[in-house]
Amino acid sequence: MRKIALAMTVAAVLIAWAALAGCQSPGARPGAAGCEFCTASLELLGTNPIYCRDTVQQAKAHGIDYRKCVDACLARDKEAMHKLFFLSSGEGVEGEAATEGHLCFVGLILTRTGDAFFAECLAGESRATQESVRQNLLCAAGYCEGKEEILGAMRRSYPLTFPETWRPK
């Protein structure tokens, strides 16, 4: 019974990521990031819209149009995935606001493109970037609060992205 409750919690977190980044607001294209990021952040996360605004601004400072990048990732563009993962690295977005906004979209892309595609793209990144992406996704799912069972649930849902051989720090 406890395992079912945990699986449902992890699923709810991932669905929330998908809902945020899917931005099913009026006028948005279903499944696309070409909608109002800041409005979605405020309505779905209950946070200040600066979370997504900071993400978009920091990506722009690196020469990346964040909305186009997310759309391309959802269309399974490997070059766009590389840009997305760059933003997840130590050189990418910085600060709590930008990082949390970015993680919503990374989570969406994982859920929408699937474990195999996401893991294949992640495998082409540096070890440090792989570590950053996995650690941040785990933390966003609640692992940072000491919920060890979250790692198991993520491994069951995304075994290629979170392989048994990988250990969180």
Side-chain angles (χ1 to χ4, degrees):
M1 189 65 140
R2 191 161 188 243
K3 287 182 181 181
I4 293 171
L6 173 63
M8 291 176 70
T9 300
V10 170
V13 168
L14 295 175
I15 289 168
W17 276 334
L20 170 66
C23 301
Q24 299 305 315
S25 59
R29 296 185 328 245
C35 60
E36 187 53 56
F37 283 21
C38 298
T39 300
S41 176
L42 181 61
E43 291 175 1
L44 297 171
L45 286 181
T47 61
N48 188 314
I50 195 169
Y51 279 54
C52 292
R53 186 175 24 241
D54 278 5
T55 304
V56 171
Q57 288 174 348
Q58 287 190 32
K60 186 176 182 178
H62 290 290
I64 298 170
D65 181 321
Y66 198 78
R67 293 171 191 228
K68 287 182 181 179
C69 181
V70 171
D71 276 343
C73 288
L74 291 171
R76 298 174 175 267
D77 180 313
K78 290 181 180 182
E79 185 178 324
M81 292 293 289
H82 176 69
K83 290 178 183 178
L84 182 85
F85 291 142
F86 164 77
L87 292 172
S88 300
S89 74
E91 301 173 43
V93 296
E94 298 175 353
E96 180 181 352
T99 301
E100 288 194 23
H102 178 63
L103 277 175
C104 292
F105 292 98
V106 174
L108 165 81
I109 291 163
L110 172 58
T111 60
R112 293 263 178 95
T113 63
D115 188 36
F117 176 76
F118 191 93
E120 176 188 344
C121 294
L122 187 59
E125 300 298 323
S126 72
R127 186 179 278 299
T129 297
Q130 291 178 34
E131 182 69 21
S132 180
V133 169
R134 288 182 179 122
Q135 285 290 151
N136 285 326
L137 284 171
L138 273 180
C139 193
Y143 180 80
C144 292
E145 286 85 35
K147 297 180 180 175
E148 292 290 326
E149 61 274 8
I150 296 288
L151 177 59
M154 293 296 274
R155 282 195 166 131
R156 285 188 296 281
S157 296
Y158 304 103
L160 301 173
T161 300
F162 294 95
E164 290 292 330
T165 55
W166 178 76
R167 298 285 175 249
K169 298 189 183 215

